Amino acid sequence: MLIETYADLICPWCYIGKRRLARALADRPRVQVELRWQPFQLNPDMAPGGMERSAYLAAKFGGTERARQIHLVVEETAERDGLPLRLDRIRRTPNSFDGHRLIRIAARHGLGDRMADALFHAYFVDGLDIGDRDTLAATAAGLGFDFAEIKTLLTGDAETTAVFNADATARQLGLQAVPCYIFNRRYALSGAQEPASFLPLLDLGVEEQEGVTAAAD
C-alpha cells in the first residue's frame, strides 16, 4: 500500500499525525507499506531567510498570548502521543522549501521518512532553524550523509522542480490544510487523526494485498 503524506515541516499537527500513523501501522504489521512524503508549504510566500518567531505568531494568531494558548494545547496533545515538544525554543519560523528538498534527497537512499522525523525533531524539540542550509546539512549528517555534499546539493537546484510540482499538485487536488494522507492514490484522510482512524484504510490495504496474491495463485 502506498501512503503519501502531504505535510509541512513547520506544522506541529503534521508531526503528531506522523506519530499516530506509525502507531496505526504497528497495529497492522501485515500491511506492506511504502511511505512517501509529499511537500505542502503552509507559507509559500515566506522570505527565504524566514521570519522572527514572535512577529510571525503575532501576525498569524493576533498576538503572543493567543499563540501561547494554542501552543499549550499542541504541547499537551503531543505529550500524550510521546512527543515532548519545546515550542518555546523556536526563534525563527523558517521557509520550509529546502527542508522538503532535503527529504526528497534522502528518499533517493530510502531515508525520506527518517529525514522527516529528524527535521521535525530539530525544529519542534531543539528549536533549530530548519530553513538554514548549514542546519539542514548537519541534520542530514546525523543520518550518515556527508555534510559538504548535502550543502552543495542544497546550494544548487537539486529536487527544486520536484518540490514545486508536488506542492502545486497538492493545491490542484484542493488541499488547503495538512496533514493529509492519500492511500493508494484513491482514498484520503485529513487531519492529525487518532491511530484508530487509520485502521479501516489499512485493513482495506490488507484485503487488496491478499486479493492480488490470491489472483496470482
Side-chain angles (χ1 to χ4, degrees):
M1 167 174 270
L2 172 64
I3 302 177
E4 295 172 283
T5 301
Y6 284 88
D8 198 359
L9 292 163
I10 65 165
C11 168
W13 296 108
C14 294
Y15 193 17
I16 293 168
K18 191 175 188 303
R19 174 60 62 91
R20 291 177 173 179
L21 173 58
R23 287 167 55 195
L25 289 171
D27 284 341
R28 292 295 186 271
R30 293 166 56 201
V31 186
Q32 298 174 15
V33 172
E34 177 188 352
L35 297 174
R36 190 175 299 170
W37 179 275
Q38 296 291 7
F40 184 92
Q41 286 191 282
L42 290 170
N43 302 309
D45 298 321
M46 177 66 72
M51 182 177 183
E52 199 274 327
R53 183 68 170 175
S54 61
Y56 174 79
L57 294 177
K60 185 175 180 65
F61 298 115
T64 54
E65 178 57 27
R66 175 60 177 158
R68 189 192 67 79
Q69 295 170 359
I70 293 172
H71 282 177
L72 183 60
V73 172
V74 170
E75 288 177 335
E76 289 176 347
T77 302
E79 184 74 30
R80 291 194 295 271
D81 281 89
L83 294 171
L85 307 189
R86 289 296 305 274
L87 302 181
D88 59 302
R89 292 178 174 174
I90 300 173
R91 294 292 175 261
R92 294 193 69 77
T93 297
N95 182 307
S96 60
F97 190 82
D98 281 346
H100 289 299
R101 293 171 62 207
L102 180 56
I103 290 173
R104 295 186 77 93
I105 290 169
R108 301 174 186 172
H109 305 274
L111 294 173
D113 194 59
R114 286 186 61 193
M115 185 63 75
D117 266 329
L119 292 174
F120 274 132
H121 189 279
Y123 185 57
F124 288 114
V125 180
D126 298 330
L128 300 178
D129 181 1
I130 58 170
D132 175 74
R133 288 174 178 169
D134 283 335
T135 299
L136 292 172
T139 302
L143 294 183
F145 290 92
D146 181 78
F147 179 98
E149 181 181 356
I150 294 298
K151 185 73 179 295
T152 298
L153 288 171
L154 292 175
T155 302
D157 62 358
E159 299 294 341
T160 295
T161 299
V163 171
F164 270 127
N165 290 344
D167 188 276
T169 296
R171 297 176 197 281
Q172 290 168 5
L173 291 172
L175 269 66
Q176 297 180 336
V178 287
C180 182
Y181 309 90
I182 309 295
F183 296 78
N184 281 345
R185 295 184 173 171
R186 285 186 288 173
Y187 313 106
L189 188 64
S190 296
Q193 301 286 342
E194 293 290 341
S197 299
F198 293 100
L199 298 182
L201 287 167
L202 295 177
D203 289 338
L204 183 61
V206 171
E207 293 173 6
E208 293 179 346
Q209 195 173 286
E210 291 179 345
V212 169
T213 301
D217 292 343

